[in-house]
Amino acid sequence: MPPTPTAAPTSAPAPLTTAADTPKAATPATPPTAPTPLTAPAKTPELATQPTPPATPTPPPTPTVSPALDAPDRDRLLHGTHHAPHSVLGAHPVPGGIAFRAFRPFALGVTVVAGQLKAELHNDGDGFFSGLLPLQGVPEYQLLVAYDGAVQEVEDAYRFLPALGDLDLHLIGEGRHEELWQALGARTMTHQGVTGTRFTVWAPDAQGVRLAGTFNFWDGTGAPLRSLGGTGVWELFMPGVGEGELYKFEITRPDGSKTMRADPMARRTEVPPATSSIVHASHYEWNDAEWLAQRAELPAHKAPLSIYELHLASWRPGLTYRQLAEQLPAYVKDLGFTHVEMMPVAEHPYGGSWGYQVTGFYAPTARLGTPDDFKFLVDALHQAGIGVLMDWVPAHFPRDDWALAEFDGRPLYEHEDPLRAAHPDWGTLEFDFGRREVRNFLVANAVYWCEEFHIDGLRVDAVASMLYLDYSREPGQWTPNEHGGRENLDAVAFLQEMNATVYRRVPGVVTIAEESTAWDGVTRATHHIGPGGFGGLGFGLKWNMGWMHDSLDYMAHDPVHRRHHHGEMTFSMVYAYSENYVLPISHDEVVHGKGSLVSKMPGDWWQQRANLRAYLAFMWAHPGKQLLFMGQEFAQGAEWSETNGPDWWLLDPSYSAEADHRGVRDLVRDLNTVYRHTPALWQLDTDPSGFQWITGDAAEDNVFAFLRYDTDGSPLLAVSNLSPVVRHDYRLGTPEDIPAWHETLNTDTARYGGSDITNPDPLKPEPQPWHGRPTSIRVTLPPLATVWLRPA
């Protein structure tokens, strides 16, 4: 006969035994919802009559301990400051058996169920329950938790080992986890044979972290996370929690105060202004394998690339991602653009920021649908043969008190120096690019969009604000770097790492910098050291802000004054090959009182449209890729508003001036068509051998003429007459061995809304030298127009 357990001290709950320890005749029937508390068995008369064999002495009773939590652990759990809740909650071997402890606020009772065993734990008060079972090992068990009017059978979250591996923790600690979204955030999984969700968050300064959500009525008291060593990562596997549940992290700051925070790694969020994170698992099946296989055939700077920039929420207001997928690919394909560029789609609380103040870096905005809905849109564009670029904002983030700002009570994602943290222009906070975990957060985010959503390229916003310590700051408001310079060395290292990582992991993507200064080597390889001593930043392309400002300034002048500003249109060729450029007419140029693109043009309505058409054809012929913001493709007259979107009614046949707008749209379609089928316009965009001036100094005539060449030497001649007069028999020098030229595009044709002054017959060179060339042709130049000529 086994020895009778010693009674527990009167100050602690009595140790519990299994049902098998008590004779069957003495075991009362136990309802499943109200198990009878099991106590230490006394000697029954039946057992007492069995004599102990005289040769076997009775061993001394095993000492028992109180299974109840001590006061310090209780206090830390109650106040949300416990770093290791799994070490005290759950089931643990102790002298005398296995101690079971549960922390279930508001519960009336908790019962351990392990196979046939049912044992009600002692109520220790404040939501704590404990008991000691004389078992040899920890069994697999569940808990029956009784509340007022309900009993729930649940898995005990504190019986599970960590669901995050040592390699993940090592890479996080090193700041080199390139798939960080697989390790942090909410991830549904089966762990130790049980389905649920693993919640992990980086909060190294927190005293404690608890999980609150719809699954626990937003009371995180009973759901503390454990700290996983020195990485600053907290983890909790919550069995039974699945997709669609809302959650936040309740963080106890170093000063003891508490803050409720959305998950920085959330892959889905509530629709703003609601701010909760949502447990998400993707079930989308892609159908764009053919697109992905061919997109890496040519690097972006050697391929045709014309970009239609749009704000998804206002392109046609009210459409969801899936509704956009029914309309946007067809529209963009009809116009001939090779790519769309979406203004930031990552979640943001304020719609008026257009997405440039991000709070959910890993979640597409819920305003238009779910993450899988967004994948459906990207897939539809790919199947239509259209690449997808998106604006990405790693420079800064807003100060919302439920998001990243002072996330765990101290500066974490932002720099600890207030002068380095505060962005002087936008009222936001700048990332601390020198902190390896922050750098990892952003680098992995760039990879995430490209790998998880099949994004073909990232246009990186506000790069200049990242590169300079004195950006928009006065003397005394910034501190030089270790070399005494103004360069932000941490930001340089981050951008180099981001570009190198993305290009290595995702073949065929392109990164594009919005960089408005003359920083050397934005599109140079990271291992090539430039004159300034820095390696290249590693971008594939850079927005040519200088060309944009100069050319728009020129076009804004009345033609009679343009001869005094001729150099504004030619200066770009002085530096055209210093970087790989995109020519951007973006949303920034048609908001905040700047007016639409057509409204920038001088003259009456006919002249404004003629100027616009001539400018667009000059732009498409100029070295560099093209970008045009939505609405400008049909000469929208009003500047863009995110609440209304483009004025589509201008294309309605019932509108009297509809033909005026349709003509510009038809020109854009033809520009893209000719562009894609003419390698001279894109093949040598970054090679000086692909461009030659015919005349760049005809200031008195307001005429610009240049040649573009492809790799086989086949030319295209582009001529712009930006004066409102017809120039008959205008002589232009031409290269030898071209028997005749024909007009392949003329922005003055009637179908575009022009005066229809054209060159219908082939133009044959004459043996008269001109512009330093042995032959020349005489061309009729329409007013305020651009003409493209190709060898006949």
Side-chain angles (χ1 to χ4, degrees), residues 694-752:
I694 296 296
T695 176
D697 58 0
E700 294 299 319
D701 298 334
N702 295 350
V703 169
F704 306 87
F706 54 83
L707 290 162
R708 297 295 307 279
Y709 288 95
D710 63 20
T711 53
D712 294 329
S714 179
L716 178 140
L717 173 57
V719 190
S720 295
N721 172 27
L722 298 178
S723 61
V725 298
V726 181
R727 300 194 182 278
H728 295 283
D729 292 331
Y730 195 84
R731 190 172 291 278
L732 296 169
T734 54
E736 294 183 276
D737 303 326
I738 303 295
W741 297 81
H742 75 90
E743 189 176 271
T744 191
L745 184 138
N746 184 330
T747 66
D748 191 53
T749 56
R751 67 184 297 261
Y752 303 144

Side-chain angles (χ1 to χ4, degrees), residues 276-397:
S276 295
S277 304
I278 301 178
V279 177
H280 172 72
S282 178
H283 301 284
Y284 189 75
E285 296 184 7
W286 290 91
N287 299 287
D288 62 348
E290 183 178 351
W291 169 267
L292 296 181
Q294 60 83 32
R295 72 176 180 181
E297 292 177 358
L298 279 176
H301 64 281
K302 293 183 178 181
L305 190 68
S306 62
I307 304 166
Y308 183 68
E309 186 195 23
L310 74 154
H311 180 246
L312 280 179
S314 68
W315 182 69
R316 286 186 175 162
L319 298 188
T320 65
Y321 290 129
R322 288 185 179 264
Q323 291 168 336
L324 283 163
E326 296 172 1
Q327 299 185 33
L328 181 62
Y331 181 79
V332 175
K333 185 173 184 178
D334 175 64
L335 287 182
F337 287 96
T338 66
H339 289 71
V340 294
E341 179 180 316
M342 301 171 180
M343 289 165 69
V345 297
E347 193 58 272
H348 49 284
Y350 176 49
S353 78
W354 312 329
Y356 290 100
Q357 295 196 8
V358 178
T359 49
F361 281 80
Y362 284 79
T365 180
R367 293 171 174 85
L368 308 182
T370 69
D372 280 3
D373 292 338
F374 179 60
K375 290 181 178 181
F376 184 86
L377 172 59
V378 174
D379 203 351
L381 287 160
H382 282 170
Q383 291 179 62
I386 300 162
V388 180
L389 313 174
M390 64 170 274
D391 282 12
W392 185 56
V393 191
H396 64 125
F397 57 92

Side-chain angles (χ1 to χ4, degrees), residues 171-236:
L171 292 173
I172 292 170
E174 292 291 314
R176 288 297 306 160
H177 203 307
E178 294 176 1
E179 296 181 357
L180 191 64
W181 68 94
Q182 304 281 15
L184 296 182
R187 184 171 180 81
T188 58
M189 59 172 55
T190 298
H191 180 49
Q192 294 178 217
V194 176
T195 59
T197 298
R198 181 195 67 201
F199 294 89
T200 45
V201 63
W202 178 60
D205 296 316
Q207 287 197 60
V209 179
R210 300 193 288 203
L211 181 68
T214 48
F215 40 83
N216 59 10
F217 303 98
W218 293 101
D219 181 0
T221 306
L225 281 69
R226 61 180 148 203
S227 174
L228 298 179
T231 60
V233 175
W234 300 74
E235 180 266 354
L236 178 64

Side-chain angles (χ1 to χ4, degrees), residues 101 118 177 218 269 455 459 471 475 490 523 695 718 723 751:
R101 305 185 189 99
K118 287 186 178 179
H177 203 307
W218 293 101
T269 69
I455 297 297
R459 177 273 199 179
Y471 183 86
D490 294 334
T523 58
T695 176
S723 61
R751 67 184 297 261

Side-chain angles (χ1 to χ4, degrees), residues 481-493:
N481 63 33
E482 61 193 59
H483 305 298
R486 57 197 284 255
E487 300 85 3
N488 187 337
L489 304 180
D490 294 334
V492 171

Side-chain angles (χ1 to χ4, degrees), residues 70-84 88 128 210 224:
D70 58 24
D73 282 323
R74 283 172 61 111
D75 186 69
R76 288 197 293 272
L77 287 168
L78 286 169
H79 290 89
T81 60
H82 209 298
H83 277 67
V88 293
F128 293 97
R210 300 193 288 203

